[in-house]
Amino acid sequence: MPKRRLNFTKRQRLAREDANISLIESDSGYIFDVVLNLAKYDLPIDATVFVEAYRQTQYERFSFGRIGLIQKPDDRRLTGFDSVEGVKFRIKVVSSADPVGLLLAEGDGISPRADEVGSGSTVSLLPVVLQDISPQIWSLDFDEQQVLLQINSTLANASALARDKTFIALVFPTIVRIILNRILVHEDYRDVDDLEDWRSQWLAYATGLPGVGNVPKDRGQGSLDDWIESAVDSFSRCHQVLGGFSDIWQGGE
Amino acid sequence: MILRRLNDQGIERFESFLDAVAVNAHEPVPRGLLEDSTFSDQLGPVIRVEQADFKNHFDISKHLYESFLESPGLHDIERDRGLWAWLSLFYFEKLCPVARDGSRKPGERARWILNVTSRRYYRHLLAGPWLVFRLHAADPERAMALLCSPMHQLSDVYLELVDNQKLISVPSVVEAVTKLYYDPQTASLKRRTGRDSPGGARRFGEIMEQFNCTWDFHSLNSDQIIGFLPQEFDPFKA
């Protein structure tokens, strides 16, 4: 079941558009930059600002000075990540006066701007990461902030697999089914409006597929299964998985 | 012995052995795989590992950490299934001792073969504690509550903490856990730190998860964190 975050301390939520993060590829790896627009929030000038980068269990934290004087650290290289695919950011504004350490404002699950990530890559609904997940070929990894598609890094040209027509035809409809089932059944989550939440993003995507319609209000297992199947059908039609696969599959001869 | 890496065939043989030894504790440990080039490959750098009297995860993790540190040519150690499988076989007797009833209980596969598809890789008997040691290498004693168990055991305190990235990476939280649950007199965990005990590891994790919504743990010291804990933790605060 999803965890509820109760806000007893009037912690402010930073909007995504107020933390504009970009990634730049350099000879020494990826460097992030962030443009913070915190003036409209009622925050004390001596409160400290931190930027945290994370993915799965990997994590790095950077101090950005104080609200009254934001100071970007000189070294903003992401050294703790072997790739930047799926890396998210969290902005924290923390009280430096009594009570020290109180979280005054937070923005979480922030993706870097798509046009600034790497060369030609995009921030997608399903980031792909390469890992040695032997003996499996692919796997989904769910955490609180996103779902990642893991591809076995020991495969030749592993990074191309997620774009391969056969793989897409055989695997992606199943991925859609697993993710929607996870959101609707396992996590009992229905909100399509909170587009900062990966689950809402997926539900919004699914409801936008032709002929799928809104998530059923009836929480019965049967109606959810039917809705998920209609989403998988629509996804398969949109991506022409059967036709694409038929072009490749020659009957196993 | 010089550290190598089990290849796919080696891992397959090792897994077959794990299945067999769970049924027959006298199944011979296939140590031959360790140096047989059919089943294991050389690493780039030369790294020596020892069979010493490691009393707990702290000792073995320290040995591995220092060994790897001296070999900068090794990359992505934390994802190297073959390397950790080799080490698991090398230290098998310590990781799976014969029980009083004469059996061996290797347990779930993730304890032996690194599973990087999920956070279960922390369940690997060697890689998991080594990751914790590395994370807190600046002052590894602060993680003693997580690393004081014998090599064949992963305590509830360890399992509860390592499952949560937001907690395990914070020095003050890990230090608070050691102050609460580790008894330096006996060099072991205090009693009743188990998952379901009042004030035990699971409750600590639950309460920290709630506080994490309100506090920036990195800005607090371990005593402040302990000060937040409710009465049920009082027996551990003494």
Side-chain angles (χ1 to χ4, degrees):
Chain A
M1 295 291 285
K3 289 173 185 162
R4 283 193 178 279
R5 288 169 66 102
L6 302 175
N7 187 1
F8 293 117
T9 57
K10 298 188 174 141
R11 179 183 67 253
Q12 296 182 68
R13 188 174 184 178
L14 303 178
R16 256 164 220 231
E17 58 268 26
D18 295 325
N20 200 337
I21 293 175
S22 53
L23 286 171
I24 302 135
E25 194 170 6
S26 76
D27 293 340
S28 57
Y30 279 95
I31 299 167
F32 78 94
D33 196 12
V34 56
V35 177
L36 295 170
N37 177 22
L38 304 179
K40 68 182 179 191
Y41 299 92
D42 183 20
L43 293 164
I45 57 169
D46 61 346
T48 47
V49 180
F50 297 100
V51 176
E52 298 174 345
Y54 63 92
R55 182 185 63 206
Q56 296 167 297
T57 56
Q58 295 160 306
Y59 169 88
E60 283 186 80
R61 176 173 162 111
F62 301 84
S63 175
F64 269 64
R66 295 176 185 274
I67 286 290
L69 183 61
I70 297 289
Q71 288 182 305
K72 293 181 186 179
D74 292 337
D75 187 357
R76 299 191 302 280
R77 286 175 301 152
L78 295 177
T79 56
F81 301 87
D82 49 2
S83 77
V84 292
E85 192 70 41
V87 171
K88 299 261 184 181
F89 290 83
R90 184 185 295 131
I91 315 292
K92 282 182 174 177
V93 181
V94 179
S95 169
S96 59
D98 198 30
V100 174
L102 187 70
L103 209 48
L104 301 175
E106 185 181 34
D108 201 357
I110 302 167
S111 297
R113 279 208 328 255
D115 57 338
E116 297 285 355
V117 182
S119 50
S121 63
T122 58
V123 173
S124 73
L125 211 50
L126 186 64
V128 179
V129 291
L130 304 183
Q131 287 194 344
D132 181 0
I133 53 170
S134 302
Q136 295 185 51
I137 295 168
W138 64 273
S139 172
L140 292 175
D141 185 56
F142 293 90
D143 66 24
E144 285 181 23
Q145 297 300 334
Q146 63 187 339
V147 51
L148 298 172
L149 171 59
Q150 298 175 314
I151 301 283
N152 194 318
S153 57
T154 65
L155 292 166
N157 202 10
S159 58
L161 185 60
R163 300 190 300 272
D164 178 79
K165 278 185 181 175
T166 308
F167 184 80
I168 290 171
L170 294 177
V171 173
F172 268 61
T174 298
I175 286 175
V176 172
R177 184 181 291 110
I178 291 171
I179 292 173
L180 293 179
N181 195 61
R182 168 83 174 213
I183 295 168
L184 293 170
V185 179
H186 184 76
E187 302 207 11
D188 194 20
Y189 185 88
R190 297 288 185 284
D191 187 353
V192 292
D193 297 322
D194 181 6
L195 292 180
E196 294 191 7
D197 190 302
W198 69 271
R199 296 168 297 185
S200 297
Q201 293 166 8
W202 268 95
L203 292 181
Y205 171 73
T207 54
L209 288 167
V212 175
N214 293 331
V215 179
K217 291 196 172 105
D218 177 6
R219 290 178 183 239
Q221 180 71 47
S223 59
L224 286 177
D225 286 346
D226 290 346
W227 187 84
I228 291 169
E229 281 311 303
S230 74
V232 174
D233 281 348
S234 184
F235 173 88
S236 301
R237 277 194 298 275
C238 287
H239 291 270
Q240 299 177 321
V241 296
L242 182 58
F245 186 69
S246 298
D247 292 342
I248 301 161
W249 176 247
Q250 300 298 316
E253 297 300 322
Chain B
M1 187 178 276
I2 294 173
L3 174 62
R4 293 165 66 90
R5 174 187 289 128
L6 288 188
N7 58 27
D8 288 346
Q9 272 183 281
I11 291 175
E12 201 174 307
R13 284 287 183 96
F14 183 37
E15 290 196 83
S16 299
F17 162 71
L18 291 171
D19 291 338
V21 81
V23 178
N24 173 19
H26 300 295
E27 185 76 19
V29 180
R31 296 187 62 83
L33 305 180
L34 295 170
E35 294 187 289
D36 186 332
S37 58
T38 310
F39 299 103
S40 62
D41 303 325
Q42 286 183 330
L43 298 177
V46 175
I47 299 173
R48 292 184 187 283
V49 286
E50 296 172 11
Q51 294 281 359
D53 184 24
F54 301 118
K55 289 186 175 55
N56 51 33
H57 287 294
F58 186 92
D59 289 351
I60 179 65
S61 298
K62 184 169 187 281
H63 171 59
L64 295 176
Y65 179 78
E66 289 170 352
S67 301
F68 295 158
L69 206 59
E70 291 164 6
S71 306
L74 209 53
H75 300 293
D76 272 345
I77 303 172
E78 62 269 35
R79 293 168 189 229
D80 196 328
R81 294 172 73 244
L83 180 150
W84 291 107
W86 190 96
L87 284 167
S88 299
L89 177 56
F90 182 65
Y91 289 116
F92 183 79
E93 297 291 352
K94 286 192 167 64
L95 296 173
C96 191
V98 178
R100 284 184 187 173
D101 63 1
S103 68
R104 287 194 202 255
K105 294 184 174 64
E108 62 178 333
R109 199 49 51 91
R111 288 160 67 92
W112 303 94
I113 309 295
L114 197 60
N115 182 343
V116 296
T117 56
S118 70
R119 273 156 289 281
R120 290 170 66 81
Y121 64 78
Y122 271 111
R123 291 177 181 255
H124 192 280
L125 287 167
L126 294 170
W130 170 80
L131 279 161
V132 172
F133 189 97
R134 190 181 69 166
L135 205 53
H136 297 281
D139 178 15
E141 276 82 7
R142 80 162 77 102
M144 195 52 103
L146 283 68
L147 301 176
C148 66
S149 302
M151 283 172 66
H152 63 286
Q153 290 174 357
L154 296 174
S155 68
D156 282 355
V157 173
Y158 169 90
L159 292 171
E160 202 59 45
L161 257 287
V162 295
D163 203 32
N164 190 325
Q165 176 262 324
K166 286 177 185 166
L167 299 182
I168 190 65
S169 60
V170 185
S172 55
V173 171
V174 171
E175 187 173 271
V177 168
T178 291
K179 283 183 175 176
L180 281 173
Y181 297 137
Y182 179 67
D183 182 352
Q185 304 290 328
T186 61
S188 62
L189 290 172
K190 295 176 186 173
R191 297 183 65 191
R192 290 186 285 278
T193 56
R195 287 187 167 185
D196 298 321
S197 305
R202 175 167 288 170
R203 284 289 293 146
F204 182 86
E206 286 171 356
I207 288 168
M208 285 299 107
E209 190 68 33
Q210 283 296 319
F211 281 132
N212 189 49
C213 303
T214 310
W215 296 93
D216 176 50
F217 288 139
H218 287 269
S219 303
L220 305 173
N221 64 41
S222 56
D223 289 332
Q224 288 172 306
I225 289 171
I226 290 171
F228 287 150
L229 297 171
Q231 209 170 15
E232 66 181 283
F233 288 86
D234 286 354
F236 298 110
K237 292 181 186 175

